Amino acid sequence: MPAPAPTTAPADDPALLRVEGPIATITLNRPAAFNSIDLSIAKKLEQLGLEVEANGDVRVLVIEGTGRAFSAGGDLQTIGAAAAADTIAPVVGELLKHYHAFIETVRRMPKIVLSSVHGSAAGAGMGLAFVTDLCIAADDARFTPAYAKIGVSPDGGSTVGMVGTVGVRRALQIFLAEDSFSAQQALDWGLVAKIVPAVELKAATRQFAERLAQNPPAAISGTKSLVYQACVTPTKQQLDAEEAKIIDAMNTDEFRAAVKKFTSKSK
């Protein structure tokens, strides 16, 4: 195996890129905040996604998280401050502009994108886990919709990645009736391709990525584009709808009260 290429950013950047032959890895790198999505990580992901898309040698992109969680979703400290200041539309709009641009790149790039999930994947973090082409999960992974309880609708590609897999009725159950669900449930519903013991996740992810990278680029790009053309709603249109709906929901008193309660517990 060739020596790992250096990362394209300092080790304290909110997201890191490593390229090893035909496999690129983007690591969410805000462990103290459970890799929650704020503007800094959204911008970095947009940048790194475009770098991977432009790299003709890469056939597979792995997305992983550092620390104890894959991603806790949107950064509620940032969003809660915007709610208190009545600046939801500009703040969340700017964050989702960059984050959704990254999601578009993930779905568009002619490469297989594989999420490697451990610990918690909540809200937009759950959306990221399942908007990728395939997902491998540790047996201790938990997926938490986290939207309805704070009075908002899904974002971060959640409906883009999940509805076509599980169907409308299951999607409504997940978003409105499930507090959380296990890796085994996600496997049963077709959202996860493989479950492995937590201690084996990194090695199993690498092995899975290497298997996927054996496919010729034309097979990867052609298959991916054909599969996603089957979707009724274009990704950009769906992402725009997610942004509009979540901003509307975040401008309610119910959301402000819920996020204030959450952030006060975390201090």
Side-chain angles (χ1 to χ4, degrees):
M1 182 184 297
T7 58
T8 60
D12 60 350
D13 265 22
L16 307 173
L17 173 62
R18 182 175 73 256
V19 179
E20 300 167 281
I23 300 170
T25 301
I26 290 178
T27 303
L28 309 179
N29 191 40
R30 298 186 71 224
F34 300 101
N35 298 318
S36 59
I37 308 300
D38 67 356
L39 185 58
S40 69
I41 198 170
K43 286 182 173 180
K44 193 66 180 182
L45 288 172
E46 180 182 17
Q47 173 199 327
L48 297 182
L50 292 174
E51 286 186 31
V52 173
E53 183 180 33
N55 189 330
D57 295 327
V58 172
R59 298 186 186 184
V60 177
L61 167 63
V62 174
I63 301 176
E64 64 179 13
T66 191
R68 292 187 291 164
F70 176 72
S71 174
D75 188 292
L76 285 181
Q77 295 291 345
T78 298
I79 296 169
D86 202 23
T87 56
I88 282 289
V91 171
V92 176
E94 178 72 5
L95 190 161
L96 289 182
K97 178 180 76 173
H98 296 286
Y99 190 59
H100 282 173
F102 171 64
I103 298 299
E104 285 186 74
T105 302
V106 163
R107 299 287 280 201
R108 180 185 66 229
M109 68 169 64
K111 310 164 196 302
I112 293 295
V113 184
L114 171 65
S115 57
S116 179
V117 179
H118 73 287
S120 174
M126 181 191 72
L128 178 58
F130 298 140
V131 81
T132 57
D133 305 314
L134 294 167
C135 175
I136 182 171
D139 55 6
D140 65 352
R142 295 293 300 183
F143 301 93
T144 305
Y147 291 106
K149 276 198 165 183
I150 59 170
V152 299
S153 52
D155 72 330
S158 296
T159 60
V160 173
M162 296 176 66
V163 177
T165 299
V166 303
V168 171
R169 294 176 71 86
R170 178 75 73 185
L172 288 171
Q173 174 189 328
I174 288 171
F175 288 119
L176 297 176
E178 295 286 349
D179 291 332
S180 67
F181 54 96
S182 67
Q184 183 60 53
Q185 286 173 288
L187 179 69
D188 293 343
W189 295 339
L191 292 166
V192 165
K194 290 185 177 185
I195 299 174
V196 298
V199 295
E200 299 175 12
L201 181 61
K202 280 194 174 294
T205 297
R206 181 71 192 185
Q207 184 178 38
F208 195 12
E210 288 174 346
R211 167 64 187 88
L212 294 169
Q214 292 175 12
N215 292 297
I220 292 174
S221 62
T223 300
K224 181 170 175 174
S225 64
L226 286 169
V227 167
Y228 288 134
Q229 282 174 18
C231 298
V232 175
T233 304
T235 297
K236 180 64 167 66
Q237 181 179 333
Q238 188 76 353
L239 291 172
D240 286 347
E242 288 188 357
E243 178 177 335
K245 292 294 186 182
I246 197 168
I247 287 175
D248 286 344
M250 285 178 173
N251 274 311
T252 64
D253 291 337
E254 290 84 354
F255 170 75
R256 291 186 177 90
V259 77
K260 184 176 181 181
K261 181 179 179 181
F262 179 91
T263 54
S264 65
K265 287 182 179 178
S266 63
K267 291 180 180 177

